Amino acid sequence: MLAELIPRLAIAGRCTLTDRFLEVRGDLHTYRIHCGSGNILIAPDERYLCVIPDSAKAKEPELFLPFEGDSRLGEIISKALLLAADKKIKDPVILRQL
């Protein structure tokens, strides 16, 4: 699914899909999002970046993908969109990790 979706995104030029990772080039770092777990590693030293959804602010998704199951695809895409624009991140918890 990612191989089909990524070329259609505005950030397609910043993304490379490998066998296990979606690599996203931000302005500050390059990130590797694991396609199975959704975990993020910061290149080149593979530091772990903890980004979790704020469930208190979560709302129903605007687009429902019935075949998606556990919403991992949506999580990976949202993380990729966030990290491609890493200079715009305002969350202090994420900024401390960068």
Side-chain angles (χ1 to χ4, degrees):
M1 282 304 304
L2 277 174
E4 294 289 324
L5 288 173
I6 295 300
R8 299 174 185 180
L9 298 176
I11 62 167
R14 291 180 169 262
C15 297
T16 303
L17 187 60
T18 67
D19 60 337
R20 294 184 185 176
F21 292 92
L22 173 60
E23 294 182 359
V24 180
R25 289 176 300 286
D27 291 318
L28 303 175
H29 299 284
T30 296
Y31 308 91
R32 294 170 30 113
I33 305 170
H34 191 271
C35 294
S37 68
N39 289 339
I40 304 166
L41 301 173
I42 302 172
D45 54 351
E46 303 295 304
R47 283 185 298 131
Y48 177 75
L49 174 62
C50 182
V51 175
I52 54 174
D54 185 353
S55 59
K57 295 180 184 175
K59 61 178 186 175
E60 288 297 315
E62 293 178 23
L63 175 63
F64 177 69
L65 302 174
F67 50 84
E68 221 285 280
D70 68 357
S71 72
R72 183 76 60 216
L73 179 62
E75 177 185 338
I76 291 169
I77 296 289
S78 66
K79 287 180 177 181
L81 292 168
L82 173 76
L83 297 171
D86 57 3
K87 277 192 169 179
K88 295 180 181 179
I89 295 173
K90 303 280 189 233
D91 185 294
V93 175
I94 297 172
L95 288 174
R96 278 194 300 270
Q97 296 177 76
L98 296 178

